[in-house]
């Protein structure tokens, strides 16, 4: 049996002098004197290392030489009071097994600091650094908080499909899923590819959003949410875009836009507080290393209601602020990230919910307002990041929706089932999508979205 009931975390929290136990982990550093070696052991269960003391007379010199930075070991020993500062206990090693043939000299993660860019090149090893250990522990707790929030409020978790036939957003930036021979595909008479011969008998893609299918579930189970991977082939090589990212999409029957905003605000506050309560030492480390205002920003979000303005009010502020923007500000244009950042970071200095966008720049399914010009959309903008949430009240009126579908040139036949949800037992309903990695940027203070996911997928990059 290899598994040990003990971890570095459990030992540092509750270990008592005199206990004898086994730990498995990786050597962060080793230093030594003539008589003993001090090994800093980390197993990823918490930020801190456990100090393991190996008396040189007890261990083979060759073995101790190999137990250097990067090596993986299993060590059995007795906990003793730690004379050094900080930790209550350390381990006096009695037996050490070395896994593999440690090659300390060529191990890329030496003790010196490495740049985040360099660590992206060795994404298979970067979880063993302090920074990425912290990030992946926080990512876990954030995912857990999300499930807890919805579960505690009577939402059901549904899994929407990854492969879809329809393009939910009409965005046309999807990854195709096909088994046809790329060099020699079957063709129609007009020369186009005949997808009827493809695996699904129709053109198929990776989903950009689970929303449309989440609506199926909400119109039966009332309150549901999805939490899954989504894919976008947009060629945005920015610090905020991934080609594969995770999205949380709640969908609620009998919720209007205001209910939707209220839910989203308390949801974000809950998740962020949960991290504060569960990841203290990781947050403190990230604050020290990367973002001096991290904890301040987190507290601000928890303690202050988000500002709420309409798109028309936002345009008004931007037109009259005296600031020069690269992209023109005009009613009807989409807000660019420079505009969003001005609103959030300069004007309000707070998270902002912008509602009621022009219908021309939003998706077909958003509920039309009576003014004939705007739709019941909401975007939530965060300081330092920009858009973290996009959502809306959905158009539940069959004829209005049908007209919107036609207006946008979407094939009605592709959406027959979505339209039928409005024919049979339609209900007012709303929902939103939270970009998981965008929220991760906020709670970790990291500046690049490639650094909050295990193996980032971006244009020209699907390594690891
Ligand atoms: O605003 P979006 O496109 O909204 C939707 O997909 C709706 N169907 C959601 C819904 O109402 N159920 O995307 C939602 C969020 C954005 O606000 C952003 O946080 C994130 O997804 N996002 C991305 N995150 C990382 N990389 C990308 N390329 C992203 N595109 C969107
Ligand atoms: Mg959006």
């Amino acid at each position: 049996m290899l598994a040990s009931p003990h971890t570095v975390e459990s030992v540092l929290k509750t270990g008592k002098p005199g206990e004898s136990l086994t730990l498995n982990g990786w050597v962060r550093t080793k230093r030594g004197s003539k008589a003993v070696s001090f090994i800093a052991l980390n197993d990823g269960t918490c930020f801190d290392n456990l100090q393991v003391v190996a008396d040189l007379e007890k261990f083979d010199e060759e073995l101790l030489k190999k137990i250097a930075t990067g090596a993986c070991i299993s060590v059995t020993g007795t906990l003793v009071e730690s004379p050094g500062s900080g930790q209550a206990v350390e381990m006096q090693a009695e037996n050490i097994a070395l896994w593999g043939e440690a090659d300390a000299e060529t191990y890329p993660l030496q003790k010196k600091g490495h740049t985040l860019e360099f660590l992206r090149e060795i994404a298979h090893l970067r979880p063993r650094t302090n920074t990425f250990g912290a990030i992946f522990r926080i990512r876990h707790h954030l995912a857990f908080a999300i499930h807890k929030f919805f579960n505690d409020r009577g939402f059901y978790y549904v899994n929407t499909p990854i492969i879809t036939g329809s393009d939910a957003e009409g965005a046309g930036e999807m990854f195709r899923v096909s088994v046809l021979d790329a060099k020699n595909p079957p063709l129609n008479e007009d020369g186009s590819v005949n997808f009827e011969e493809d695996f699904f008998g129709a053109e198929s893609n990776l989903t950009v959003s689970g929303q449309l299918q989440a609506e199926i579930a909400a119109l039966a189970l009332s309150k549901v949410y999805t939490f899954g991977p989504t894919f976008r082939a947009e060629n945005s090589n920015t610090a905020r875009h991934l080609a594969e990212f995770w999205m949380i999409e709640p969908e609620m029957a009998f919720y209007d836009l205001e209910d939707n905003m209220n839910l989203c605000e308390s949801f974000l506050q809950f998740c962020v507080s949960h991290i504060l309560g569960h990841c203290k030492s990781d947050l403190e480390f990230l604050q020290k290393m990367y973002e001096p205002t991290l904890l301040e920003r987190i507290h601000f979000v928890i303690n202050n209601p988000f500002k709420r303005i309409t798109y028309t009010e936002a345009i008004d502020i931007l037109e009259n602020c005296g600031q020069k923007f690269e992209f023109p500000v005009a009613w009807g244009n989409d807000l660019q990230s420079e505009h969003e950042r001005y609103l959030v970071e300069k004007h309000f200095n707070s998270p902002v919910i912008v509602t009621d966008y022009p219908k021309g720049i939003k998706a077909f399914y958003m509920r039309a307002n009576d003014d004939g010009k705007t739709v019941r959309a909401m975007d939530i903008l965060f300081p330092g990041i920009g858009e973290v949430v996009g959502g809306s009240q959905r158009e539940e009126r069959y004829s209005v929706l049908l007209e919107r579908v036609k207006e946008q040139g979407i094939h009605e036949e592709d959406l027959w089932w979505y339209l039928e949800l409005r024919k049979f037992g339609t209900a007012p309903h709303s929902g939103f999508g939270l970009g998981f990695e965008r929220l991760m940027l906020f709670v970790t203070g990291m500046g690049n979205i490639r650094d909050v996911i295990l193996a980032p997928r971006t244009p020209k990059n699907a390594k690891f």
Side-chain angles (χ1 to χ4, degrees):
M1 200 177 85
L2 268 180
S4 167
H6 306 281
T7 63
V8 170
E9 188 197 24
S10 69
V11 165
L12 289 177
K13 260 194 191 148
T14 59
K16 299 273 174 310
E19 268 182 81
S20 179
L21 49 87
T22 299
L23 286 175
N24 306 304
W26 293 268
V27 176
R28 278 293 168 86
T29 57
K30 187 185 70 178
R31 58 193 176 80
S33 64
K34 287 225 176 66
V36 289
S37 277
F38 297 103
I39 299 165
L41 186 73
N42 188 288
D43 63 2
T45 53
C46 66
F47 185 85
D48 293 307
N49 306 320
L50 182 77
Q51 172 148 288
V52 175
V53 184
D55 285 330
L56 295 191
E57 58 187 29
K58 271 199 216 155
F59 293 95
D60 175 48
E61 204 185 318
E62 276 306 300
L63 176 74
L64 279 183
K65 228 201 240 158
K66 286 186 190 156
I67 297 174
T69 300
C72 181
I73 57 172
S74 294
V75 46
T76 302
T78 307
L79 300 184
V80 295
E81 236 168 85
S82 183
S85 62
Q87 300 180 346
V89 291
E90 60 187 38
M91 181 186 265
Q92 192 70 49
E94 272 127 38
N95 185 43
I96 303 180
L98 170 71
W99 297 106
E101 299 152 35
D103 184 357
E105 258 119 80
T106 60
Y107 184 57
L109 282 174
Q110 294 302 329
K111 205 177 168 229
K112 71 179 172 76
H114 297 287
T115 65
L116 293 170
E117 288 79 8
F118 171 74
L119 292 175
R120 268 173 231 148
E121 299 299 315
I122 50 163
H124 59 307
L125 297 173
R126 69 179 181 171
R128 297 187 205 166
T129 61
N130 283 334
T131 294
F132 286 91
I135 286 167
F136 293 120
R137 282 186 294 272
I138 291 174
R139 193 173 160 117
H140 160 78
H141 285 289
L142 191 59
F144 192 83
I146 288 162
H147 285 296
K148 178 163 171 51
F149 177 88
F150 288 123
N151 180 63
D152 289 355
R153 283 157 190 77
F155 284 66
Y156 291 111
Y157 176 41
V158 298
N159 301 112
T160 49
I162 304 291
I163 300 174
T164 58
S166 55
D167 173 358
E169 311 293 317
E173 40 199 35
M174 307 183 84
F175 290 101
R176 177 168 298 153
V177 176
S178 175
V179 296
L180 294 179
D181 181 354
K183 274 200 209 126
N184 187 23
L187 299 178
N188 294 312
E189 272 172 14
D190 65 359
S192 60
V193 175
N194 180 4
F195 288 105
E196 276 175 26
E197 290 194 28
D198 207 344
F199 190 90
F200 296 107
E203 209 177 326
S204 314
N205 301 292
L206 294 179
T207 188
V208 296
S209 159
Q211 179 198 323
L212 302 196
Q213 290 88 356
E215 287 185 52
I216 299 176
L219 291 170
L221 300 168
S222 292
K223 292 190 290 184
V224 302
Y225 70 105
T226 71
F227 185 170
T230 47
F231 308 87
R232 298 196 184 177
E234 53 197 343
N235 209 350
S236 303
N237 223 333
T238 77
R240 310 268 174 274
H241 288 88
L242 291 167
E244 176 180 296
F245 64 100
W246 287 67
M247 197 170 5
I248 298 93
E249 294 183 276
E251 193 69 36
M252 300 75 64
F254 317 109
Y255 267 52
D256 64 14
L257 190 70
E258 194 184 352
D259 299 320
N260 203 18
M261 285 192 275
N262 293 342
L263 177 79
C264 192
E265 187 169 334
S266 49
F267 166 61
L268 291 170
Q269 288 173 328
F270 175 89
C271 292
V272 169
S273 322
H274 184 91
I275 296 306
L276 208 51
H278 288 81
C279 306
K280 196 158 167 285
S281 43
D282 288 328
L283 288 176
E284 281 165 358
F285 173 77
L286 294 173
Q287 159 151 309
K288 190 176 80 194
M289 293 293 289
Y290 301 102
E291 178 50 65
T293 65
L294 180 60
L295 287 163
E296 194 186 308
R297 284 212 248 155
I298 289 176
H299 282 289
F300 187 91
V301 164
I302 296 169
N303 297 322
N304 293 282
F306 299 180
K307 295 283 185 309
R308 298 182 182 190
I309 57 166
T310 65
Y311 167 88
T312 303
E313 286 163 347
I315 292 295
D316 210 45
I317 292 168
L318 294 167
E319 274 177 340
N320 296 303
C321 68
Q323 171 107 356
K324 279 251 171 301
F325 294 109
E326 191 189 333
F327 292 91
V329 175
W331 201 98
N333 289 0
D334 209 355
L335 297 179
Q336 299 296 325
S337 91
E338 55 172 343
H339 307 137
E340 296 178 344
R341 296 190 82 140
Y342 180 85
L343 290 170
V344 176
E345 287 158 28
K346 295 241 169 70
H347 189 84
F348 289 110
N349 202 16
S350 146
V352 177
I353 312 183
V354 183
T355 62
D356 301 291
Y357 284 73
K359 67 175 182 179
I361 55 173
K362 288 292 184 189
F364 72 95
Y365 51 70
M366 297 190 180
R367 195 179 197 281
N369 279 319
D370 292 339
D371 63 9
K373 292 190 298 192
T374 57
V375 291
R376 301 247 76 191
M378 65 174 208
D379 274 9
I380 303 191
L381 314 176
F382 263 30
I385 294 154
E387 180 190 332
V388 291
V389 167
S392 63
Q393 185 171 334
R394 320 304 189 190
E395 185 56 76
E396 86 285 10
R397 298 164 294 185
Y398 179 79
S399 49
V400 182
L401 184 64
L402 185 60
E403 201 165 304
R404 285 282 283 155
V405 165
K406 286 182 180 155
E407 224 173 78
Q408 298 213 353
I410 301 165
H411 297 296
E412 218 179 298
E413 315 81 74
D414 293 348
L415 283 174
W416 66 273
W417 56 269
Y418 190 74
L419 285 157
E420 264 194 11
L421 291 172
R422 275 73 178 163
K423 226 189 231 170
F424 306 123
T426 192
H429 61 290
S430 298
F432 62 82
L434 165 71
F436 187 52
E437 286 79 16
R438 296 262 175 105
L439 187 62
M440 275 296 291
L441 286 177
F442 180 75
V443 298
T444 59
M446 300 306 284
N448 194 312
I449 202 160
R450 291 164 179 78
D451 297 331
V452 294
I453 187 165
L454 198 60
R457 268 78 178 103
T458 50
K460 302 274 180 283
N461 172 37
K463 255 187 291 179
F464 304 107

